[in-house]
Amino acid sequence: MINKTLVLSLALFFFFVAAFSQVQFTQRMEVETNWSADDFFVLPREQGMVAFRMKSETAYGTKNIFEYLTSDFQLEGDSAREIELEDFYELLGFDLDEDFLYVLFNKGSQYNPEKAIFEINLKNHAVNKMLLTSILEMELQDFLVFNKKAVFMGKYDFRPVIQILDIPSKEVVTVPGLFEKDAKILQMRKDPDLNVFDVVVSRRDFYKKKIVSILTFDTNGNKLREVKIDDLKDPSMEIVEGLLTSSYNYKQALIGPYGLRKKEAYQGLYFSKINQFGEYENKFYSVSDFENFYNYLPEKTRERRLRKVERRLNRGKNIPISNVVVTREINASNGYYLIYNDHFISSTSRYVPRDGMYASNFYRLNPMMGGYGGMYNPLWMDPRFRSNQVTNQYKYLAAQFILLDEDGNIIWDNSLNLDNASKNQPVKFGEMSFSGDNLFYMYLDETEILLSQIKRGEVVMENEPFEIELINENERIADTREDSLQLLWWYDNYYLLSGKQRIRYQDKDGKATSREVNFFTKIKVDDFI
């Protein structure tokens, strides 16, 4: 009996040691701040990261200072730098292009805005300010910069429009062929190496048939290629939305959810493989194709659901997905595609339009595209926005992961339970890193970090909680401001956590005191088994 107890105790000991060594807080950087000041928005870059925010000289003054800082991958860098703004500036958008940070502002009052771009050289910190007078007064939705070209995408007179600014000459061209009444832009992605950008557009023809097109433009606004994804295997099918991957061996893929026209919005996932000539092949996957689709459910519930699926298949009926399916991210490398989908339920009918189109609201809600200015910012809604005055509207059921080969064959699939977590906005729920064998999935739950691991398609750890830790053992966390926390996958198996904390410590005289900081912490995750 004693031997069995000892063996069990040792097994538990090694399990907890393995679990707690799986997440390591390796480096930390701090900026002293005021508890009520704006949070930094953080962007990964090739040399490390850059963070920035708007601030005021006084606690209740006008935010007339743009503050930014950079660091390497060890979170070592210079002190924060400030750019004083001589007039009223409202932050609209931003983008990184190699060693340059581009920040887009409204200059002047919101009723008579004049746009300006600040080009900040992150190496020598030179600032080039440019006033813009030729850009349309569009409802801006995206702002990209590459190879000294700025691309503005938005709506003008309820129609999509894209304009390109040549930064050195300040010449502006309007991209033709997009200004249509029923057209909507689902995605825009830049390819600096090829000096082009892709636009995924959805339209309905005269017969209300939905057609999704992929348009490729050069930086002069010339259309180089158009691919119409309109040849689906069933005329009642239609694409809900999708994400376009980068090019690999001159091939791309468009992946996302599909549904039945005027019926169930979500039936499964489609995979459109596109070659260099614009020819494409479609594959469609339903619930029955995903072996572990219901793995997030309790065992008995999962078995009942699988029996129901089998009965519908035997009767030749389709298997609709009652919850919302949104493709959040695609890791495309070495001819494989790892797809991350969020599955959630909306408690309001206002969320999903009748035909289920544009459910992810990609530009306004993707944490990597923006979200600095809060819900009232005209460009992006804040993915970190929390309000006690708003009832939670979105319950997250599961994060689904699917690995496909270059021909669309399923290598493995699995799902992680998100425990009906509620959010006010339908944002991307978590952050993933993938190395080929190991997939780590991490997200925030209040002030805890939860980690899951899938290894070669098998779940080996699910939603293991970890407390936020300090690097200095002589200091303690007095308070963490939950709504300031931002978690990003950084590189390899490292994540970056930022936010605001009060730290307790002893000063040089041994007196207990505290400080308020914005912190940036590097987190390493290791293989559990």
Side-chain angles (χ1 to χ4, degrees):
M1 182 69 180
I2 295 175
N3 289 338
K4 288 184 178 179
T5 304
L6 180 61
V7 170
L8 179 61
S9 299
L10 287 172
L12 288 173
F13 171 78
F14 285 117
F15 172 82
F16 285 113
V17 167
F20 281 99
S21 65
Q22 196 182 11
V23 171
Q24 302 173 39
F25 295 78
T26 60
Q27 279 96 24
R28 180 180 169 104
M29 180 171 66
E30 294 182 353
V31 178
E32 290 203 27
T33 191
N34 185 286
W35 198 249
S36 61
D38 281 4
D39 302 315
F40 281 92
F41 197 86
V42 184
L43 292 176
R45 56 191 292 252
E46 288 185 2
Q47 296 81 11
M49 70 94 175
V50 58
F52 52 88
R53 66 176 177 178
M54 297 290 287
K55 61 180 289 189
S56 60
E57 294 173 316
T58 61
Y60 302 101
T62 302
K63 295 174 184 176
N64 61 342
I65 297 173
F66 180 80
E67 183 180 31
Y68 74 97
L69 58 90
T70 61
S71 85
D72 59 18
F73 287 112
Q74 307 309 315
L75 288 179
E76 295 179 354
D78 297 333
S79 300
R81 296 175 180 268
E82 296 181 350
I83 301 172
E84 292 192 12
L85 308 174
E86 70 280 2
D87 202 345
F88 175 80
Y89 280 84
E90 179 189 19
L91 181 60
L92 285 182
F94 47 84
D95 197 19
L96 277 170
D97 185 33
E98 295 184 340
D99 293 320
F100 291 90
L101 172 65
Y102 291 89
V103 189
L104 177 65
F105 292 98
N106 259 352
K107 181 179 183 295
S109 73
Q110 59 180 325
Y111 302 105
N112 187 27
E114 183 181 24
K115 290 181 176 60
I117 292 179
F118 284 25
E119 180 187 66
I120 304 171
N121 188 321
L122 298 177
K123 277 191 172 181
N124 61 23
H125 303 287
V127 180
N128 179 24
K129 303 178 183 178
M130 297 167 283
L131 291 179
L132 307 180
T133 57
S134 303
I135 300 298
L136 286 171
E137 288 298 326
M138 66 178 78
E139 179 189 341
L140 198 62
Q141 293 179 289
D142 202 2
F143 169 68
L144 301 177
V145 184
F146 62 105
N147 301 338
K148 296 296 182 179
K149 301 279 189 175
V151 184
F152 303 81
M153 186 274 281
K155 294 180 181 178
Y156 182 78
D157 193 23
F158 304 103
R159 302 181 184 195
V161 63
I162 293 177
Q163 290 193 306
I164 304 171
L165 167 72
D166 180 77
I167 291 175
S169 69
K170 296 185 174 59
E171 292 183 357
V172 176
V173 297
T174 302
V175 174
L178 296 172
F179 196 66
E180 296 185 18
K181 183 179 178 181
D182 294 326
K184 294 182 184 294
I185 294 177
L186 303 182
Q187 182 191 0
M188 189 168 73
R189 60 169 300 277
K190 62 182 182 182
D191 192 330
D193 293 334
L194 297 178
N195 205 31
V196 300
F197 62 97
D198 295 313
V199 183
V200 183
V201 182
S202 171
R203 299 180 177 90
R204 291 198 182 276
D205 62 16
F206 179 78
Y207 301 101
K208 301 299 181 183
K209 178 184 177 182
K210 186 176 175 183
I211 299 172
V212 173
S213 301
I214 302 164
L215 308 173
T216 302
F217 298 95
D218 65 19
T219 52
N220 294 317
N222 301 309
K223 185 170 72 174
L224 304 179
R225 188 183 73 170
E226 179 174 3
V227 181
K228 289 186 178 181
I229 311 294
D230 57 354
D231 184 17
L232 308 184
K233 67 179 184 180
D234 185 332
S236 65
M237 278 185 178
E238 61 181 24
I239 291 173
V240 178
E241 56 191 356
L243 289 184
L244 183 67
T245 69
S246 56
S247 296
Y248 174 77
N249 287 343
Y250 303 101
K251 298 175 183 177
Q252 286 179 288
L254 184 68
I255 302 170
Y258 74 92
L260 296 181
R261 184 180 172 189
K262 295 183 179 181
K263 293 182 181 179
E264 294 87 5
Y266 301 96
Q267 289 287 309
L269 205 70
Y270 72 90
F271 170 86
S272 295
K273 182 176 70 172
I274 306 164
N275 65 20
Q276 64 268 40
F277 305 109
E279 302 165 335
Y280 65 91
E281 296 179 16
N282 290 328
K283 277 200 170 186
F284 296 89
Y285 314 91
S286 67
V287 171
S288 60
D289 295 308
F290 301 126
E291 182 180 352
N292 299 308
F293 186 87
Y294 293 115
N295 264 17
Y296 65 95
L297 295 172
E299 184 177 356
K300 290 185 178 180
T301 307
R302 180 169 65 246
E303 289 175 355
R304 287 198 301 270
R305 195 69 60 87
L306 290 173
R307 287 196 295 268
K308 183 178 179 181
V309 168
E310 187 176 1
R311 286 196 300 270
R312 293 188 70 93
L313 283 174
N314 292 335
R315 296 171 185 170
K317 294 185 176 181
N318 64 307
I319 309 166
I321 303 170
S322 56
N323 48 283
V324 177
V325 180
V326 182
T327 299
R328 298 295 197 188
E329 188 176 346
I330 302 170
N331 182 319
S333 60
N334 301 321
Y336 291 89
Y337 302 93
L338 179 70
I339 304 157
Y340 159 34
N341 296 327
D342 273 336
H343 292 230
F344 60 90
I345 297 172
S346 170
S347 61
T348 171
S349 59
R350 293 178 301 165
Y351 170 67
V352 183
R354 288 183 181 179
D355 60 0
M357 294 169 62
Y358 325 118
S360 73
N361 206 356
F362 184 75
Y363 290 104
R364 292 184 181 275
L365 296 170
N366 185 331
M368 290 304 297
M369 299 298 293
Y372 180 84
M375 284 201 65
Y376 301 103
N377 186 294
L379 181 52
W380 291 296
M381 295 171 67
D382 191 344
R384 299 163 292 160
F385 180 80
R386 304 287 189 275
S387 172
N388 294 328
Q389 306 299 319
V390 181
T391 304
N392 290 332
Q393 295 181 337
Y394 308 97
K395 286 190 175 182
Y396 284 73
L397 306 177
Q400 181 192 26
F401 301 93
I402 306 155
L403 184 65
L404 305 178
D405 66 16
E406 62 179 346
D407 295 318
N409 300 310
I410 299 174
I411 307 299
W412 57 258
D413 74 278
N414 224 315
S415 298
L416 298 171
N417 181 22
L418 297 182
D419 200 27
N420 292 327
S422 295
K423 288 186 178 292
N424 293 333
Q425 302 294 338
V427 297
K428 177 184 175 186
F429 194 85
E431 292 284 311
M432 72 170 186
S433 66
F434 181 61
S435 63
D437 285 335
N438 276 316
L439 184 152
F440 294 104
Y441 182 69
M442 185 182 285
Y443 64 90
L444 290 165
D445 181 16
E446 296 181 345
T447 58
E448 276 190 330
I449 292 171
L450 272 68
L451 178 68
S452 300
Q453 181 185 357
I454 297 176
K455 187 166 188 175
R456 300 187 188 95
E458 298 294 329
V459 177
V460 296
M461 173 182 277
E462 186 172 24
N463 298 331
E464 189 70 30
F466 297 88
E467 297 288 338
I468 298 174
E469 297 180 8
L470 298 177
I471 305 299
N472 189 338
E473 295 180 354
N474 297 319
E475 297 181 338
R476 297 292 181 268
I477 299 172
D479 193 10
T480 298
R481 186 161 177 169
E482 180 190 342
D483 62 356
S484 73
L485 295 178
Q486 180 187 2
L487 179 69
L488 299 171
W489 170 73
W490 200 0
Y491 69 99
D492 294 339
N493 58 334
Y494 291 94
Y495 289 77
L496 187 60
L497 177 69
S498 62
K500 198 176 278 129
Q501 288 178 329
R502 287 192 179 100
I503 304 299
R504 287 201 307 265
Y505 66 102
Q506 288 185 338
D507 62 18
K508 60 183 180 180
D509 299 323
K511 183 181 178 181
T513 185
S514 67
R515 65 179 184 271
E516 296 177 352
V517 299
N518 275 104
F519 72 93
F520 308 87
T521 299
K522 181 179 177 181
I523 303 172
K524 181 183 180 182
V525 295
D526 284 321
D527 196 351
F528 178 66
I529 56 174

